[in-house]
Amino acid sequence: MAVPLSLRKRYPLRSLECIKESHKQFMAAGGKRKKVKNYMNCVTEPIFDIPIDQVCLPGLHITQGIFVKIFDLLEDACHQLDLQLAYTYTEESSSSSSFTKYAEELHKLQVAKAKLAEAQDAMQEEIANTTKVTNKEFAAHDGPFVQGLDNALQSFGVHRQQYFGGTFVGNHIHKALQPSNVECLSSCMVEVAKAKCPALVASATREQTRFRRSLSLLGQCHQIYDQNYIDESQCNELETLIAHFMEDFRSSFPDSSIPVKMHMLEEHTVPWARKTHVGFGLLGEQGAESIHARFNSLQRTYHSVPDKVQQLVLMVKEHLLSVAPQNVAAIPPPTKRIKQ
């Protein structure tokens, strides 16, 4: 997938029939999971008999996965700038962060090496001790550039989760891809460089340019395919934007892999949009996930009902009335008791 779409060999699209056939071959070969990759990973038959081309792509997860990929690259670029900064870092600080300790020890190492020419024997032990510290580097989150990136996120109310691999929630992805926030994220490196080490401004500016471009293109793609409906002109625009985004990503990050979600964006998003003219915002996974959260809330409400089936019936009834309140009129009134 590192090769551009126009230069790759095109393979037939998969169907329910080919999935069933691959599963049949897998089971005939013994059904050993370690060999399932030779059978298109078809461990089981399809659960639902729904043609694949009628299944909406997970738009939010596509954007989320690609954003996290680019953000990790941005964070790594900040860390590399922190490593460069450490060689020139002389600021007096009472901070006990691992970066400060690293920079101090690195400075000691440089001073020690300079003195070694005059008194090699006397300084050999200090060089050995400080080398042990600098070989371990420092925690990435302690570096001024990475801290500047975290501050940029917090400035518009976004933060990484402490679980699920440090990813972002959906609403934060929408917010982070706003043009003003993309500018804030990409420019934070230059601001830190100006404050801490002007010699790194040129390197930080180069990083700012490539990350601003990638995130801006992703944001424009997301804005179109996240809509409810997509007309033909928007399909054409989306096709152009995705092509520009993938071309830019491959040239800006030549050593980075192309994840599956990027493949889905590049190869399957526009065909879906042209066929259905429906965006991921209408048929994507976000609606199902919001219902999941709603049912979690209802489960807490009815958790005291001992019969699990009755508990589920009550939950479904309340959910139905909340999404279709006109059904309340169809509920028969309670029968009045006849007084004797």
Side-chain angles (χ1 to χ4, degrees):
M1 287 190 288
V3 179
L5 186 62
S6 59
L7 302 178
R8 291 206 305 265
K9 178 182 177 181
R10 302 305 296 269
Y11 293 91
L13 295 176
R14 299 178 71 184
S15 63
L16 289 177
E17 289 70 27
C18 76
I19 292 176
K20 292 175 180 177
E21 181 60 29
S22 295
H23 173 66
K24 184 178 178 181
Q25 294 173 2
F26 168 64
M27 296 305 294
K32 296 182 179 179
R33 284 181 174 266
K34 64 171 68 175
K35 295 184 179 180
V36 72
K37 64 181 180 181
N38 299 324
Y39 302 94
M40 298 291 186
N41 294 305
C42 296
V43 180
T44 63
E45 291 187 349
I47 299 175
F48 301 107
D49 193 21
I50 301 175
I52 294 177
D53 60 357
Q54 293 182 23
V55 178
C56 182
L57 295 171
L60 176 61
H61 282 83
I62 288 175
T63 305
Q64 184 183 52
I66 297 174
F67 178 82
V68 170
K69 175 76 174 181
I70 297 176
F71 186 86
D72 286 342
L73 291 170
L74 174 57
E75 195 171 49
D76 183 66
C78 288
H79 183 57
Q80 294 305 315
L81 288 170
D82 282 327
L83 290 173
Q84 296 179 51
L85 173 63
Y87 278 92
T88 58
Y89 194 78
T90 57
E91 182 177 314
E92 292 292 333
S93 175
S94 58
S95 171
S96 60
S97 74
S98 59
F99 172 79
T100 303
K101 292 179 180 177
Y102 176 82
E104 290 173 352
E105 294 300 323
L106 191 60
H107 182 65
K108 290 180 183 178
L109 177 61
Q110 292 172 311
V111 173
K113 284 184 176 180
K115 292 181 179 179
L116 183 61
E118 301 176 1
Q120 183 172 2
D121 293 338
M123 300 302 299
Q124 194 64 45
E125 184 177 354
E126 184 176 355
I127 289 177
N129 292 335
T130 54
T131 298
K132 291 180 181 179
V133 176
T134 56
N135 283 343
K136 297 179 182 178
E137 290 194 1
F138 57 92
H141 61 266
D142 279 338
F145 282 95
V146 174
Q147 288 179 350
L149 181 60
D150 288 339
N151 292 337
L153 282 175
Q154 293 173 17
S155 70
F156 49 84
V158 171
H159 58 82
R160 302 191 76 160
Q161 298 184 84
Q162 298 301 316
Y163 41 87
F164 298 135
T167 186
F168 297 87
V169 299
N171 287 337
H172 286 179
I173 296 294
H174 292 297
K175 188 180 292 187
L177 288 175
Q178 295 298 316
S180 60
N181 295 335
V182 167
E183 180 62 30
C184 179
L185 281 176
S186 57
S187 63
C188 68
M189 294 178 287
V190 176
E191 299 303 320
V192 174
K194 289 178 180 178
K196 298 289 185 181
C197 182
L200 292 177
V201 169
S203 297
T205 302
R206 286 193 294 271
E207 298 295 347
Q208 175 192 29
T209 300
R210 65 172 182 163
F211 283 104
R212 176 202 286 147
R213 190 169 56 238
S214 285
L215 289 172
S216 295
L217 286 170
L218 176 61
Q220 292 175 61
C221 293
H222 175 76
Q223 186 176 15
I224 294 177
Y225 64 64
D226 194 51
Q227 298 178 134
N228 289 344
Y229 301 100
I230 305 175
D231 60 31
E232 191 60 33
S233 64
Q234 290 174 318
C235 288
N236 295 333
E237 183 182 1
L238 179 61
E239 185 174 32
T240 301
L241 285 171
I242 291 175
H244 287 169
F245 169 73
M246 293 303 301
E247 180 183 4
D248 175 76
F249 185 87
R250 288 188 173 104
S251 61
S252 297
F253 311 100
D255 298 325
S256 181
S257 61
I258 304 296
V260 173
K261 290 173 182 176
M262 244 181 225
H263 161 73
M264 295 171 72
L265 174 71
E266 180 181 34
E267 191 150 351
H268 300 292
T269 299
V270 174
W272 165 268
R274 289 197 189 285
K275 178 179 179 179
T276 65
H277 291 288
V278 174
F280 302 146
L282 183 65
L283 296 182
E285 74 281 22
Q286 298 176 60
E289 291 195 355
S290 67
I291 293 176
H292 183 258
R294 170 64 176 156
F295 268 77
N296 282 340
S297 175
L298 290 172
Q299 198 278 332
R300 289 191 292 271
T301 301
Y302 293 105
H303 75 280
S304 59
V305 178
D307 187 333
K308 296 300 180 183
V309 175
Q310 183 62 20
Q311 181 186 109
L312 185 58
V313 169
L314 292 171
M315 291 165 56
V316 172
K317 282 184 176 179
E318 180 162 340
H319 174 68
L320 178 60
L321 292 176
S322 67
V323 298
Q326 67 272 17
N327 290 334
V328 174
I331 300 176
T335 304
K336 295 182 178 180
R337 295 177 61 182
I338 301 176
K339 295 183 180 181
Q340 308 222 345

